[in-house]
Amino acid sequence: MKNIVILLSGRGSNFEAILKTSRAEDWEGRFGLKIRAVISNRPEAAGLARAKAEGLEAIAIDHKAFPSREAFDEALAASIEPFEPDVIVLAGFMRILTEGFVKRFEGKILNIHPALLPLFPGLDTHKRAIEAGCRVHGSTVHFVSPVLDGGAIIGQSVVPILASDTPEALAARLLPFEHALYPKCVRAVALGAVKLVDGRAVMDDETARSLAVF
Ligand code: GAR
C-alpha cells in the first residue's frame, strides 16, 4: 500500500480533483494507492469538511495555537507520520514549511503553484502575470524544497492570457487546468515514474509529455 496525505488551508478544489480522479481510476484497486488523511491548519477550511463528508480521516491543527513555526511543523509532522506517507500533497496549503520539515520528508512533498515557475513565485501570481504582459500563464506542480516555490518542477499546465483578463477571470480559467494537472503528478510520483534526484525531477519522455497539460 502506498499512502497519500493531503494538506490544505481553504476551498480544497485541488484535493477534490485528486479524490475524484483517484476514485474514477481506482487508484486503490489498481495501484494500492490510498488517500489516508486530509490535514488543515485552518479548522474551518471547506476542504476539511468535504474530506470528513467523504469519509476520509480529517484532522485540524490550528497553527494559531502554536508559539512558533517550528512548533507547528513539529505537530504537523507528528500527525502525518503515523500514516507512513509516500506522498504529501500541498493542495492550497498556505503555510511556509520550515527547512526541518521539508528535509524530513524530502522527495515526498508536492506543491501546486498558480504560475509558470520559475516565473512569479510567491503571491498575487495572476495579477503579476497580467501586469508583466505575458500572453500565457499556468500552474506548476513541483517538489517542495527549502526555497519557496523553488523546488524541482514535475509538471505544468498552460492557459492563454486574454486582453480583457482580470486576475479573477484568469484564475478561473486556470483552475480546471490545475485540476487536470495535479492528479497526474501525484500518481506519477506515487508510482515512482518521477523521482527527485540531485535536485531535479527525473522521468522518461512519455511521463514528461503526460505532465505538460495544454
Ligand atoms: C490554487 O489555485 C493553488 O494553485 C493555490 O491556491 C489555490 C488553492 O485552491 N496555491 C497557492 O497559491 C500556493 N502558494 P483550492 O483550495 O481550491 O485547491
Side-chain angles (χ1 to χ4, degrees):
M1 188 61 79
K2 289 198 186 281
N3 301 318
I4 300 171
V5 172
I6 295 185
L7 309 187
L8 53 79
S9 301
R11 179 176 59 180
S13 71
N14 275 289
F15 149 60
E16 283 192 41
I18 293 163
L19 177 64
K20 212 168 139 194
T21 304
S22 74
R23 287 179 175 165
E25 296 180 353
D26 188 21
W27 286 5
E28 201 175 330
R30 286 168 65 203
F31 311 126
L33 191 58
K34 191 174 164 57
I35 299 174
R36 294 290 309 278
V38 176
I39 302 174
S40 178
N41 64 306
R42 292 189 183 277
E44 74 283 4
L48 198 61
R50 181 67 202 269
K52 211 172 288 175
E54 292 290 343
L56 297 173
E57 185 93 33
I59 300 167
I61 307 174
D62 189 344
H63 65 272
K64 294 196 287 298
F66 294 86
S68 66
R69 207 173 273 285
E70 285 72 20
F72 169 73
D73 279 9
E74 194 54 49
L76 185 61
S79 81
I80 291 173
E81 247 153 16
F83 298 107
E84 300 180 351
D86 295 285
V87 187
I88 298 170
V89 178
L90 310 188
F93 184 69
M94 304 307 275
R95 296 281 305 168
I96 294 173
L97 295 164
T98 55
E99 188 163 349
F101 183 96
V102 171
K103 291 250 165 83
R104 194 153 162 178
F105 299 106
E106 197 160 22
K108 294 183 176 178
I109 315 173
L110 273 52
N111 181 45
I112 189 161
H113 179 73
L116 290 172
L117 291 171
L119 288 173
F120 311 124
L123 298 174
D124 295 326
T125 54
H126 311 300
K127 181 167 179 277
R128 287 158 64 205
I130 292 170
E131 283 176 1
C134 296
R135 291 273 64 87
V136 294
H137 184 48
S139 62
T140 302
V141 174
H142 62 93
F143 285 108
V144 172
S145 80
V147 179
L148 179 68
D149 300 327
I153 293 173
I154 297 166
Q156 293 186 303
S157 61
V158 181
V159 296
I161 296 181
L162 305 185
S164 61
D165 262 341
T166 59
E168 294 72 26
L170 181 54
R173 183 175 317 112
L174 181 58
L175 196 60
F177 286 81
E178 294 192 30
H179 298 163
L181 175 68
Y182 214 176
K184 286 178 197 276
C185 294
V186 171
R187 187 183 57 197
V189 172
L191 299 184
V194 178
K195 287 195 171 77
L196 181 67
V197 182
D198 296 333
R200 294 189 67 85
V202 174
M203 65 191 88
D204 64 20
D205 283 353
E206 192 189 341
T207 304
R209 196 180 292 282
S210 76
L211 299 184
V213 173
F214 301 95

